[in-house]
Amino acid sequence: MGRFSHFLAIDWSGAKGPVQKGIALALADAAGGPPVLVERGRGWSRADVLALLREDLPENTLVGMDLGIALPFADCGAYFPKRDVLLPDAPSLWALIDDICAGDPNLGAQSFVDHPEFAPYFRNGSDTGAHFGCDGAAHGRGRFRATERAQAEMGCKPYSNFNLVGAAQVGKSSLTGMRVLHQLRGRLPVWPIDPLQERGSTLVEIYTSLAALEAGRSAAKAKMRSHEELGAALAHLDSPGVGGHGPIDDHSSDSLLTAAWLRHVSHDHNRWSPAGLTRGIAQTEGWTFGAL
């Protein structure tokens, strides 16, 4: 699996607006050296990232995006139980979201979470968002994919992709990312929904906390907000440091560390064959690279 030449980590954001402060990109070279931030000057928009992935991606790049590439399916046998029309796989889910949100600016996904047919499945903090489970009843913390249960067993605290409430909400980030994945269809394969090819670039789902755990940090201290903390974590992954002193924003540090982590572990066959990954889960829910 050591065939990749570059490793691009993308800290993603589902926030409103034309430019996302929460988006950061970092690139690591297989030949070595420190990971580097991919700067945009004015900051990144989701459309900017889509354009880079379409047109400016270096050859044989392993791309990691920090988002959920699908919604839970295996627990209920459907993304949206009780709905008359069942979606068979993740690409059909992406297509539905992108179609409903076609008029949303900045690759947003507000139209989907507001849609009367789908809004009740999301935890949105109002009485109308019941966060339905398999039986149509409210579902506590929310439904989880198999890969998120694997993350929890590794010491992380994942959140449901149906959650739209508070600082821990991941729903909007994942839904906006699924729009990007749909628009990349046919250009960039997404593992494990698509099989890993012998050559060419591939996109995987990442969870930056997994990289931090393997870099010697605890789940409670996964965020690095100083160059000194980042340097120590990079050294744990046998990566040169990026230099600098004092504060660094956690979006930049997450992307820098995760780019180095992708380079460090991508050759490991076990990363591509986790125990819980069945063909059915691969097609419907996907998987987080590095969740074992």
Side-chain angles (χ1 to χ4, degrees):
M1 299 301 173
R3 66 169 184 77
F4 294 105
S5 302
H6 301 87
F7 304 88
L8 178 67
I10 303 173
D11 200 27
W12 190 247
S13 172
K16 294 180 180 179
V19 175
Q20 314 303 322
K21 292 181 179 179
I23 293 180
L25 282 69
L27 189 68
D29 195 311
V36 296
L37 286 174
V38 184
E39 301 285 5
R40 195 68 183 177
R42 61 178 176 79
W44 287 94
S45 69
R46 288 185 284 267
D48 291 334
V49 177
L50 174 59
L52 181 147
L53 295 176
R54 274 178 167 167
E55 302 161 12
D56 297 324
L57 195 63
E59 282 189 27
N60 299 318
T61 297
L62 179 59
V63 179
M65 292 187 73
D66 185 23
L67 51 82
I69 59 174
L71 295 172
F73 184 100
D75 59 342
C76 300
Y79 299 114
F80 305 105
K82 309 297 183 181
R83 183 172 180 260
D84 290 338
V85 180
L86 297 181
L87 302 168
D89 53 26
S92 66
L93 174 66
W94 305 340
L96 175 70
I97 294 167
D98 194 51
D99 180 59
I100 289 175
C101 299
D104 287 26
N106 310 310
L107 287 171
Q110 191 64 42
S111 292
F112 192 77
V113 298
D114 288 343
H115 194 285
E117 190 171 355
F118 302 105
Y121 292 92
F122 289 89
R123 180 169 175 258
N124 60 20
S126 72
D127 292 337
T128 58
H131 204 193
F132 287 168
C134 304
D135 56 2
H139 202 265
R141 287 186 63 220
R143 294 167 55 201
F144 288 91
R145 296 179 296 158
T147 190
E148 288 145 5
R149 292 193 291 272
Q151 293 169 17
E153 291 176 3
M154 296 175 72
C156 296
K157 188 180 179 182
Y159 292 89
S160 171
N161 285 330
F162 281 110
N163 183 33
L164 304 175
V165 178
Q169 67 153 302
V170 293
K172 286 280 188 66
S173 179
S174 295
L175 293 171
T176 58
M178 290 180 216
R179 291 196 64 188
V180 169
L181 297 181
H182 175 69
Q183 295 190 33
L184 287 170
R185 205 73 188 130
R187 293 175 178 261
L188 185 62
V190 178
W191 178 90
I193 292 159
D194 302 307
L196 184 65
Q197 304 297 314
E198 293 184 1
R199 61 180 60 86
S201 297
T202 296
L203 187 148
V204 297
E205 172 184 328
I206 55 173
Y207 183 22
T208 57
S209 291
L210 289 178
L213 285 175
E214 293 196 50
R217 300 187 66 81
S218 67
K221 296 182 178 180
K223 296 298 181 184
M224 297 154 290
R225 294 182 172 87
S226 75
H227 282 89
E228 289 77 12
E229 289 179 310
L230 174 60
L234 287 169
H236 206 96
L237 298 175
D238 300 321
S239 172
V242 299
H245 300 282
I248 184 173
D249 70 273
D250 60 324
H251 303 296
S252 296
S253 63
D254 279 349
S255 62
L256 287 162
L257 182 71
T258 308
W261 172 77
L262 285 170
R263 176 174 61 187
H264 187 70
V265 303
S266 66
H267 65 279
D268 182 356
H269 176 77
N270 292 330
R271 310 288 175 156
W272 302 96
S273 303
L277 181 59
T278 65
R279 179 172 176 78
I281 287 174
Q283 293 297 301
T284 57
E285 294 193 347
W287 198 263
T288 310
F289 184 73
L292 300 175

